[in-house]
Amino acid sequence: MRTRSQSRNQNRPQQQAPPVVVDPFNLEEPIDNPPVVNMAANGAGGAGPPPAGGGGLPVPDLRTMEELCQPSLDGRGGPIAPIAIQATTFGLKNDMIQQVQNSCPFRGPGDDANKHLDKFLHVTQSMKVNGVSDDALRLHLFPYSLQDRAAEWFDRLPRNSINSFDQMAKIFLGKYFPPSMVTKLRNDITNFRQRPDESLFEAWERYKLSIDRCPNHNMLPVTQIDTFYNGLTLRHRDTINAAAGGTFMKRRPEECYDLIENMTTHHNDWDTSAQRNESSSSITSSNPEIASLKLQMEEMNRNLTRMLQTKTNMLML
């Protein structure tokens, strides 16, 4: 049995979803904003078409296998980003490219990255194109100096990631001249030792090459000369002291450097190379008389060195 209040609550319209009022006597009048009924969502069997305009099922990819297997141009292009230039037309000349390729090729690990940059800058400093800055010209020419593994490394760089030659140089040195290599080359300099079968000329050239390969060694000239002198064998240190007229280390650094350069320039007069050592040792071992003469000559050399040192000390007083 229903009460009068329950009957009123049932007949009262709901406030959340008011019904759409349609005039039953005007059936030809279009209905504004008709309600959309999703049959699939309302459990009507899902026989209706999917709603248009997104929000429903994803659109299937109708491309064929042949189309999907073809390479796409998306993401293609070199690592060098487009650079604004004043020239209306810009193209690298063949003679520029060939000169770079022939003068300063770089193939990858094992080649000197610092020397490569120095040669590249030297070769390209005379190349000019109207309306194109030197930075842009060098940036576009630099990839042509790379070969083999270095060229493969450059091609793998991200697209449009390089905007200047300075940035290109930093990326290049970061790859082929990392801090670990700097440490190794600096250790080669500070731990220099003359090899047993190495002449004074060969030792000096090898030492200078180690310094050239590490431009940021941060060693003063006096430290460089001191390291080289103390890395020599005792016999070659005596030879340098004799050439210095006394004690080599009592001269100024500039004089020490010039003395070593002069001695190595005329290394045939001062040198006792490996071949001479080997031949003399073989002769000495087979002839006792020659061995005795060699000992006498060594004693004479030591006496001459002492005399030169005494004379130099007297002149300094």
Side-chain angles (χ1 to χ4, degrees):
M1 180 176 181
R2 296 182 180 179
T3 63
R4 184 175 300 177
S5 60
Q6 291 176 345
S7 300
R8 285 197 302 265
N9 292 335
Q10 290 181 354
N11 296 329
R12 183 180 300 171
Q14 297 180 358
Q15 299 296 329
Q16 291 82 358
V20 179
V21 179
V22 181
D23 188 0
F25 299 101
N26 191 6
L27 299 178
E28 295 180 357
E29 182 179 356
I31 301 175
D32 295 333
N33 299 326
V36 178
V37 179
N38 190 340
M39 298 178 64
N42 293 333
L57 299 176
V59 179
D61 192 347
L62 301 179
R63 290 179 297 174
T64 63
M65 285 291 297
E66 181 180 3
E67 294 173 342
L68 291 172
C69 292
Q70 289 178 354
S72 174
L73 295 179
D74 295 338
R76 294 294 183 93
I80 299 178
I83 300 177
I85 58 177
Q86 297 179 357
T88 55
T89 58
F90 172 53
L92 296 176
K93 298 180 180 179
N94 291 330
D95 56 345
M96 293 183 180
I97 297 176
Q98 292 178 359
Q99 187 174 0
V100 168
Q101 291 176 337
N102 297 332
S103 302
C104 49
F106 185 86
R107 297 175 177 82
D111 291 351
D112 193 333
N114 286 297
K115 286 295 183 183
H116 175 70
L117 283 179
D118 291 341
K119 289 183 179 180
F120 178 80
L121 292 174
H122 176 73
V123 170
T124 58
Q125 67 180 356
S126 60
M127 298 181 180
K128 305 292 181 182
V129 176
N130 292 331
V132 180
S133 64
D134 293 342
D135 185 88
L137 182 60
R138 288 169 178 167
L139 179 58
H140 285 83
L141 282 172
F142 187 77
Y144 292 97
S145 68
L146 305 179
Q147 300 178 6
D148 301 337
R149 296 177 62 182
E152 296 175 358
W153 162 79
F154 176 81
D155 292 336
R156 292 194 301 268
L157 293 176
R159 180 172 178 260
N160 295 338
S161 59
I162 304 174
N163 300 284
S164 66
F165 180 74
D166 289 341
Q167 183 184 7
M168 179 74 258
K170 291 180 181 179
I171 296 175
F172 174 74
L173 290 178
K175 171 64 177 179
Y176 293 105
F177 198 72
S180 58
M181 183 175 294
V182 176
T183 303
K184 178 183 179 301
L185 294 177
R186 188 182 291 117
N187 292 335
D188 292 341
I189 299 173
T190 56
N191 299 327
F192 169 78
R193 291 293 182 272
Q194 185 181 11
R195 297 165 182 166
D197 57 346
E198 194 173 36
S199 66
L200 179 63
F201 169 77
E202 294 168 342
W204 179 241
E205 292 298 316
R206 180 170 63 88
Y207 184 71
K208 290 193 299 182
L209 181 60
S210 300
I211 294 177
D212 292 340
R213 293 190 64 185
C214 187
N216 48 345
H217 53 75
N218 299 325
M219 293 179 62
L220 297 175
V222 61
T223 307
Q224 298 177 26
I225 297 175
D226 179 71
T227 302
F228 174 75
Y229 175 79
N230 288 288
L232 295 174
T233 60
L234 179 60
R235 179 165 55 87
H236 282 98
R237 287 203 299 268
D238 291 340
T239 303
I240 291 180
N241 286 325
T247 305
F248 174 76
M249 297 302 292
K250 289 186 177 182
R251 288 175 172 257
R252 296 193 305 271
E254 298 81 3
E255 295 177 342
C256 293
Y257 185 89
D258 293 340
L259 177 63
I260 297 175
E261 279 290 331
N262 182 64
M263 293 181 64
T264 54
T265 302
H266 304 86
H267 63 278
N268 289 330
D269 299 332
W270 297 92
D271 186 25
T272 53
S273 61
Q275 295 179 356
R276 296 178 184 176
N277 289 337
E278 292 176 357
S279 60
S280 62
S281 61
S282 61
I283 295 175
T284 301
S285 60
S286 60
N287 195 327
E289 295 181 359
I290 295 179
S292 177
L293 290 174
K294 183 180 179 182
L295 293 176
Q296 294 178 14
M297 291 180 63
E298 291 178 354
E299 182 65 23
M300 292 175 61
N301 288 332
R302 285 193 291 267
N303 294 332
L304 178 61
T305 301
R306 286 194 293 267
M307 292 174 60
L308 291 173
Q309 291 177 353
T310 302
K311 183 178 180 180
T312 303
N313 295 333
M314 293 176 62
L315 292 174
M316 293 177 62
L317 294 176

